[in-house]
Amino acid sequence: MTGEISPRDWSAQPPYLAPDYKSTLLRAPSKPLIPIPHGIMEATAPVFGQDAVGPLDHDLTRNGRVNGEPLGERIVVTGRVLDDAGRPVPGTLVEIWQANAAGRYVHVADAHDAPLDPNFTGAGRVVTDQDGRYSFITVKPGAYPWRNHPNAWRPNHIHLSLFGRSFASRLVTQMYFPGDPLLALDPIFQATADAGARDRLVARFDIGVTQPEFALGYVFDIVLRGAMATPMED
C-alpha cells in the first residue's frame, strides 16, 4: 500500500468507552487522543508469518489432534480480505482464536466450568491467496458466561487478527453467527452503534461453501479501512 490511506469511519466503529462493557471503563483513554500523521512507517508493511504457516494451520479440526477428532459441529469459515476500494489484499496473515464447542478457551485464565477438548487448541492461521481469500475448517464455538453483568453470556464468536499491507490497516475483530439470540444482549456486539456496521460483524451462511456430509459453510468478508470497514474489536 502506498500513497494516501483512507481514513477510518469512526462513526461505524465501537467507542473506546462503552459503559455497558465494563472493562472499557478501566482501559479507555482518559484524555483526548493526539492524531499522528501517517508516514512511511504506517504506509508500508512488514511481512508477517508467511514462512511460518504450516500445512495444517488452517484446519483447527486437525492441527490440535492428540487421540481423535475434536468434539462439536464442524464448520468452514471463508471470505475475502479487501481494501477500502474493494480490491483484494493478497498475502495477508489472518489468525483466528476461539473457544471450543463447550465454550472454553485453552488458556490459564479461563475458569469456565466447561470441559477442555484434548484434540482442539482453538487457534489457526492462514495467508490470503491472490484473490484475497482465506479459509478455515474448525468447530462452531460455544457460548460462555463472562460476568460482565448478571447472567451475562457471550454469543458464539471467533476472534480474527489481520495484518494488511501496512500498520495502518491492522485489524482485530470478532465474527458472529446469524440468528444468535445472544447478539441483542451482548454489550461488545452492541457497542458498534451503527446497525449497518454491526451487520458486517455477522457471517453469512452459504450452502455453496457447505461441504456435503462434513461441515456447514459461512462467509465473512473483511474490509480493512474506509467507509465499509469491518468494525474493530472494542
Side-chain angles (χ1 to χ4, degrees), residues 16-19 21-28:
Y16 290 110
L17 177 60
Y21 180 12
K22 303 302 184 186
S23 65
T24 65
L25 298 173
L26 301 175
R27 68 170 186 255

Side-chain angles (χ1 to χ4, degrees), residues 169-183:
S169 59
R170 175 84 167 98
L171 180 70
V172 178
T173 190
Q174 298 184 28
M175 184 202 93
Y176 299 91
F177 292 84
D180 190 332
L182 291 173
L183 291 176

Side-chain angles (χ1 to χ4, degrees), residues 8-230:
R8 294 192 188 277
D9 180 5
W10 291 107
S11 68
Q13 297 289 339
Y16 290 110
L17 177 60
D20 289 339
Y21 180 12
K22 303 302 184 186
S23 65
T24 65
L25 298 173
L26 301 175
R27 68 170 186 255
S30 59
K31 297 180 180 180
L33 300 182
I34 300 173
I36 300 176
H38 288 150
I40 188 67
M41 290 297 293
E42 291 77 28
T44 58
V47 177
F48 290 100
Q50 279 77 349
D51 295 332
V53 175
L56 293 180
D57 283 359
H58 73 288
D59 189 344
L60 283 67
T61 68
R62 293 195 291 163
N63 66 18
R65 285 189 191 180
V66 174
N67 56 17
E69 291 270 357
L71 299 175
E73 175 190 333
R74 286 188 297 254
I75 60 173
V76 175
V77 177
T78 188
R80 300 177 73 203
V81 178
L82 307 169
D83 67 12
D84 53 315
R87 297 169 298 202
V89 186
T92 296
L93 178 66
V94 182
E95 298 175 303
I96 66 170
W97 64 98
Q98 62 169 95
N100 66 20
R104 187 168 177 187
Y105 290 94
V106 181
H107 195 284
V108 294
D110 190 341
H112 178 29
D113 184 18
L116 288 170
D117 188 333
N119 297 300
F120 188 75
T121 64
R125 60 199 329 228
V126 72
V127 174
T128 57
D129 65 15
Q130 289 304 304
D131 295 320
R133 186 166 300 281
Y134 71 92
S135 186
F136 291 98
I137 301 171
T138 185
V139 299
K140 189 173 183 180
Y144 57 82
W146 64 305
R147 300 180 181 178
N148 180 77
H149 55 275
N151 204 13
W153 288 79
R154 293 263 22 239
N156 311 113
H157 64 280
I158 294 175
H159 299 265
L160 299 100
S161 165
L162 295 94
F163 288 95
R165 291 174 176 160
S166 71
F167 278 124
S169 59
R170 175 84 167 98
L171 180 70
V172 178
T173 190
Q174 298 184 28
M175 184 202 93
Y176 299 91
F177 292 84
D180 190 332
L182 291 173
L183 291 176
L185 305 173
D186 184 60
I188 297 179
F189 178 73
Q190 293 294 330
T192 301
D194 183 272
R198 208 162 51 235
D199 286 345
R200 297 199 289 272
L201 293 171
V202 181
R204 172 174 54 85
F205 170 73
D206 192 321
I207 193 65
V209 173
T210 295
Q211 298 185 13
E213 301 182 29
F214 180 71
L216 296 180
Y218 294 89
V219 175
F220 186 63
D221 292 333
I222 303 166
V223 180
L224 296 177
R225 287 188 70 93
M228 296 300 292
T230 302

